[in-house]
Amino acid sequence: MGILQRRKIEAAIIAPIYDELRQRLGEAEAQAIIDAAVSKAAMRAAREFADATEEGTSLLTFQALQSLWTQDDALEIEVVRADDKVFDYNVLRCRYAETYREMGLGHIGHLLSCNRDAVFCKGYDARIKMSRTQTIMQGATHCDFRYVLEEKTAP
């Protein structure tokens, strides 16, 4: 099962929990709880991927994981630069965003998917830094992912 299908199943489970949290605690607190829980799950998953990377983690092994997120045409991407120091790409179509909107969860889609990205790369390899200024999920025409591998500095 691809990640897109997995996220759809997760969202169907999270939706009623989120609604209950929102009713009891308010929108801001409900979103904070979902954000924290999903971020912790992303960190755990990243560490599991890192532990399974026999040759050790790097920006190149991180790039190799991209096919998991694009599986089933989940993302249409345009690679700007990909080497051992920089991995830059734009997402031109995001079926994750489309799926959450179809489920009536577009307003928390960034919590269910987008917020995982920076946490995941940090958990996979702390030297990988991500920046992104916009997402389709929050209304932009494309997502601009920018990753850089920072060399370890002396203590």
Side-chain angles (χ1 to χ4, degrees):
M1 172 187 315
I3 292 177
L4 177 61
Q5 186 62 30
R6 200 172 316 155
R7 294 290 179 264
K8 186 174 182 177
I9 293 167
E10 291 171 358
I13 294 167
I14 290 171
I17 297 167
Y18 171 75
D19 286 340
E20 190 66 27
L21 288 169
R22 187 177 43 79
Q23 289 173 15
R24 291 182 186 210
L25 305 172
E27 185 74 28
E29 189 63 20
Q31 286 197 20
I33 291 168
I34 296 298
D35 185 28
V38 171
S39 292
K40 286 176 185 174
M43 182 62 76
R44 274 192 309 274
R47 289 185 178 142
E48 289 172 8
F49 276 102
D51 290 346
T53 306
E54 293 178 15
E55 66 272 20
T57 62
S58 69
L59 193 56
L60 293 175
T61 61
F62 181 79
Q63 289 172 42
L65 297 175
Q66 186 68 28
S67 63
L68 298 172
W69 282 267
T70 60
Q71 182 181 344
D72 302 322
D73 296 319
L75 298 173
E76 181 183 323
I77 66 169
E78 167 189 66
V79 175
V80 177
R81 179 178 168 190
D83 56 43
D84 62 337
K85 303 288 182 210
V86 174
F87 182 36
D88 293 348
Y89 65 91
N90 297 322
V91 174
L92 306 176
R93 180 180 181 205
C94 177
R95 290 191 51 219
Y96 297 94
E98 293 168 11
T99 298
Y100 294 134
R101 287 183 187 126
E102 289 167 5
M103 296 176 75
L105 298 171
H107 63 293
I108 62 167
H110 64 289
L111 300 174
L112 301 175
S113 278
C114 303
N115 286 4
R116 295 175 188 256
D117 299 328
V119 174
F120 187 89
C121 73
K122 182 179 178 181
Y124 183 76
D125 187 325
R127 299 172 302 156
I128 300 173
K129 305 300 179 204
M130 184 195 103
S131 63
R132 181 179 56 216
T133 64
Q134 60 187 29
T135 65
I136 293 170
M137 191 81 69
Q138 294 188 297
T141 58
H142 67 282
C143 308
D144 57 343
F145 284 83
R146 304 296 181 256
Y147 295 96
V148 63
L149 181 71
E150 295 182 348
E151 295 303 319
K152 291 183 180 177
T153 56

